[in-house]
Amino acid sequence: MSEKFNIDSLADLARIRLKKEEKAKLTNDLSKILGYVEALGQLNLEGIEPTTHVAKLENVFRADEVKPALVREEVLKHSPHREGNFFKVPKVIDQA
Amino acid sequence: MNTYEPVIGLEVHVQLATKSKIFCACSTKFGSEPNANTCPICMGLPGTLPVLNEQALRLAMKVGLALNTTIAKRIKFDRKNYFYPDLPKAYQISQYDMPVCAHGGLTIQPESSGGITKQIGITRAHLEEDAGKLLHEGVKDGSWVDYNRAGIPLLEIVSEPDIRSPEEAYDYLTRLKAVLLYLEVSDCNMEEGSLRCDANVSLRPKGESQFGTKVEIKNLNSFKAVQKALQYEIERQTEALEQGEKIAQETRLWNDMQGKTISMRSKEHAHDYRYFPEPDLVPFTVTEKEIEAVRRALPELPQARKERFVKNFGLSDYDASVLVNDKVLGEYFENCVKEGANAKLACNWIQTDLLGALNERCLSFDQNPITPKHLAGMLALIENNTISGKIGKDVLPLMIDEKKTADQIVKEKNLVQVTDTKLLEDIAERVIAANPNPVEQYKSGKTQAIGFLVGQIMKETKGKANPKIVNEILQKKLS
Ligand SMILES: [Zn+2]
């Protein structure tokens, strides 16, 4: 295969496990998407600023004011594991 | 010996002093109950929309201008994607290719440089949100997560690899922190995580222009730790290179207890953050007018204050540096002068006696009970000869312990300098009569013997005699 991506590493980055047939299908789909996007490469974009956002909006700020949301209990209730007011997760790092 | 040259770059994360988080209205207060300062936005729940805190951008601009960077006219945010339990959204909102600030510098002057200054380039400074905090200690089979820090505004300040020694790194950090404190953009409290630093270091043969393989050091909890970790890492890499080994590009953790860096053998994938523009935030434009308004409102910075202290008060470069590196100390000094204190006298007394006395009592400078007015009052007593400098050294600690003015202490303890010439002459005669040997020595040309006689008179007056007058009287009587 001469794809511009590696389906295994993409799956790895996305933390998903793919079966062999899924890999083949997704590789095919992704290639088509990339090909579609690559069509843009044929446009002459000289002197055109890159678009960073599609909405014609800018400078949307909020003032620096505190408003407590008081949702802790609600969110913790939906967590698969909690201990007191903490979320609990599997140990992830090799500690020094 | 010394055939390798270290190349060091520093990344400093500073928490910007806003009341609310960078993209939501949660409080940034330190020490709140676990997960109390969270909301659907910073928890990364679907359907929520982050909105930029305008104060965070303003504070970032202040830092950028103080570090002589160019403030970008156009700013956008990007997503940095990675999975980690401290990151509720599985991405961090950061800035990739359009940071708020770029291309600046900071002048350093390490103590060991003998007064030579050096410019350390600032590559960029960008806004981003902090992650949550993982707690491992005492937790059985797992870790706890507290998302109070998730969404706290950070400014990451990245230096050029211009630093060449651990001392330069230490000086850079000290001066950067001073600038941040002068700007009042952060409390820079390292224990609370408001200021964090990672260091990149590589070695290359002296004279070589290409960089060697760099190692990133994390878990640096103080500026001293940065200095020690770099020292250790330079030695480690030198040894490895001398034995013909290759340096691995890796992240190492500093272990302060063991005094060494340890390879972080994580199963971590090669970094592939797949940055892309954050679609939930619109871009921002900053006008020249807005930049100028922030620039005009900048306070006096350490470098300028130092130059002013040298010029206006006649302080040495070194003394002025010590005073301005700590904002509070410099302001205290200046207030003493405003209260009428002699500048050089105030500078010496603050640096040696006052700081020493506070240190002995384990008091920080914030806890100093002597007001500038009262220190100026004490110094005035020395200047107008009411007390000697020597007595002053006894009075100052009493001012701290008894919370009284120098005037009160001097009166209560009867410490007023004895300038009564008649009384001192009487004592001098007694001392001369009682010490024939030193008197003989003095008369035979060993003039330093007078010191003993002065000492005796000081002893009789419990240190209160004016030493200048005593000297004059003795010289007259012995001639
Ligand atoms: Zn929030």
Side-chain angles (χ1 to χ4, degrees), chain B residues 1-5 203-206 233-247:
Chain B
M1 261 289 284
N2 259 342
T3 45
Y4 292 104
E5 174 186 60
L203 296 188
R204 64 181 172 192
K206 267 209 175 126
E233 194 52 29
I234 290 166
E235 278 166 32
R236 186 188 73 84
Q237 291 185 23
T238 304
E239 242 168 71
L241 289 171
E242 274 169 359
Q243 284 170 13
E245 289 170 31
K246 268 214 162 118
I247 304 295

Side-chain angles (χ1 to χ4, degrees), chain A residues 69-71 75, chain B residues 24 26 38-49 88-89:
Chain A
L70 309 170
V71 295
V75 181
Chain B
C24 63
C26 289
T38 56
C39 74
I41 295 172
C42 55
M43 286 285 200
L45 299 190
T48 55
L49 197 65
K89 302 190 288 287

Side-chain angles (χ1 to χ4, degrees), chain B residues 24 84 122 151-152 175 208 212 232 260 285 315 355 391 430 476:
Chain B
C24 63
Y84 211 69
I122 305 282
I152 295 253
R175 281 171 205 275
E208 169 71 53
Y232 173 87
K260 58 185 192 183
T285 48
L315 301 186
L355 287 182
I391 293 286
R430 249 184 289 137
K476 204 167 65 193

Side-chain angles (χ1 to χ4, degrees), chain B residues 15-127:
Chain B
Q15 174 177 346
L16 298 173
T18 57
K19 294 197 277 293
S20 63
K21 291 185 179 180
I22 184 167
F23 300 122
C24 63
C26 289
S27 168
T28 55
K29 199 161 163 268
F30 179 81
S32 303
E33 264 189 54
N35 292 303
N37 303 337
T38 56
C39 74
I41 295 172
C42 55
M43 286 285 200
L45 299 190
T48 55
L49 197 65
V51 183
L52 179 63
N53 181 338
E54 62 178 341
Q55 179 69 353
L57 178 58
R58 194 171 308 123
L59 296 181
M61 284 167 64
K62 273 176 92 170
V63 177
L65 290 172
L67 296 175
N68 284 316
T69 66
T70 307
I71 305 298
K73 298 267 160 52
R74 201 150 170 79
I75 293 160
K76 79 164 161 75
F77 288 87
D78 301 276
R79 287 189 185 180
K80 180 178 179 179
N81 300 281
Y82 63 97
F83 286 99
Y84 211 69
D86 64 5
L87 204 62
K89 302 190 288 287
Y91 60 84
Q92 177 193 29
I93 304 179
S94 180
Q95 296 193 281
Y96 183 58
D97 57 348
M98 293 166 78
V100 182
C101 324
H103 312 302
L106 180 69
T107 306
I108 65 165
Q109 191 177 12
E111 237 182 284
S112 58
S113 71
I116 296 167
T117 61
K118 177 176 170 180
Q119 180 81 358
I120 305 298
I122 305 282
T123 315
R124 57 183 277 160
H126 66 258
L127 278 168

Side-chain angles (χ1 to χ4, degrees), chain B residues 45 71 184 209 294 393 411 427:
Chain B
L45 299 190
I71 305 298
E184 293 178 345
S209 61
V294 175
K393 287 185 193 297
K411 280 198 190 107
I427 298 171

